[in-house]
Amino acid sequence: VFRSDDVTQEILFETAAATVRADKQLVALGASDGSVWLLDDLSDALAAAGATAPADTSAKRKKADVQEIGAQHVGMTSKDLSVTRVAWRNDELATAGLDGMLRFWDIDSSVVKVSVPGGGKALTAMCISDASCVVGCADGAVRLLDGRDGKGVVAVSVKGKGHAGIVSDVTWLDTDATMASGGLDGAVRVWDM
């Protein structure tokens, strides 16, 4: 159960993406309604959940066993357009969404520091490093973005060499030199950056 001091109504959304920042016990959520949430220090809630866990794991959980976790509403990307991916880059939170934008958030002030256009297509996958941002798109393309000052697309997979459908995931294989993408076409492609 998430509760928020700055939202008066019950928080109703489907979580579309989540990422953990273990060093600060923070979890960021991207929601289907375009909102971005930050769950505060989870250590107390996790300790309480462990202390109240029933000895018999087959026993049904009671409503009283549900732990409340404080939630901070960071902001909205685009109304009614889902956040598809969230990731941490140092102290910044990066979000990608169906609106085709990659955003870097200052979580202390809950403002977008940089918005990077992803090439006009819905972003369905994202991997971030200190130097590079790679996104997978609904049109099957894999795009390299320059996140500095919102410059945008630097390179895009050659037409016919991307995926024949939505890119479902992108990830770094080693540093910033090689990455892989997977798509709903069933293919896995390895890219030399």
Side-chain angles (χ1 to χ4, degrees):
V1 175
F2 306 118
R3 60 174 166 71
S4 175
D5 296 332
D6 59 346
V7 175
T8 56
Q9 72 275 14
E10 187 177 351
I11 300 170
L12 297 173
F13 59 79
E14 293 177 3
T15 301
T19 186
V20 176
R21 183 166 174 196
D23 64 328
K24 294 198 175 183
Q25 293 284 324
L26 291 174
V27 173
L29 301 176
S32 58
D33 66 354
S35 61
V36 180
W37 294 86
L38 192 65
L39 306 185
D40 62 15
D41 187 357
L42 300 179
S43 55
D44 292 340
L46 293 174
T52 61
D56 179 8
T57 56
S58 65
K60 290 191 176 184
R61 292 186 63 83
K62 299 175 188 168
K63 191 169 186 175
D65 290 337
V66 175
Q67 300 298 317
E68 284 194 359
I69 298 171
Q72 172 192 343
H73 185 247
V74 177
M76 294 290 288
T77 55
S78 291
K79 188 164 175 50
D80 300 325
L81 287 176
S82 181
V83 175
T84 56
R85 294 288 194 264
V86 288
W88 292 103
R89 182 171 76 176
N90 302 319
D91 287 331
E92 294 177 315
L93 178 64
T95 61
L98 294 181
D99 63 351
M101 296 295 290
L102 177 68
R103 291 177 176 85
F104 291 95
W105 299 80
D106 178 350
I107 60 170
D108 293 328
S109 61
S110 295
V111 297
V112 175
K113 291 169 62 173
V114 178
S115 291
V116 183
K121 302 297 180 184
L123 304 182
T124 55
M126 167 181 71
C127 62
I128 303 287
S129 71
D130 288 338
S132 302
C133 310
V134 176
V135 294
C137 304
D139 65 353
V142 175
R143 292 181 170 90
L144 176 65
L145 305 181
D146 183 347
R148 298 169 296 178
D149 301 322
K151 297 220 184 295
V153 177
V154 174
V156 63
S157 56
V158 177
K159 190 170 180 107
K161 298 290 184 185
H163 291 273
I166 294 172
V167 177
S168 55
D169 207 358
V170 289
T171 187
W172 297 113
L173 295 178
D174 55 30
T175 62
D176 287 348
T178 311
M179 52 90 50
S181 63
L184 296 185
D185 58 359
V188 174
R189 304 205 186 284
V190 177
W191 304 87
D192 180 350
M193 299 304 291

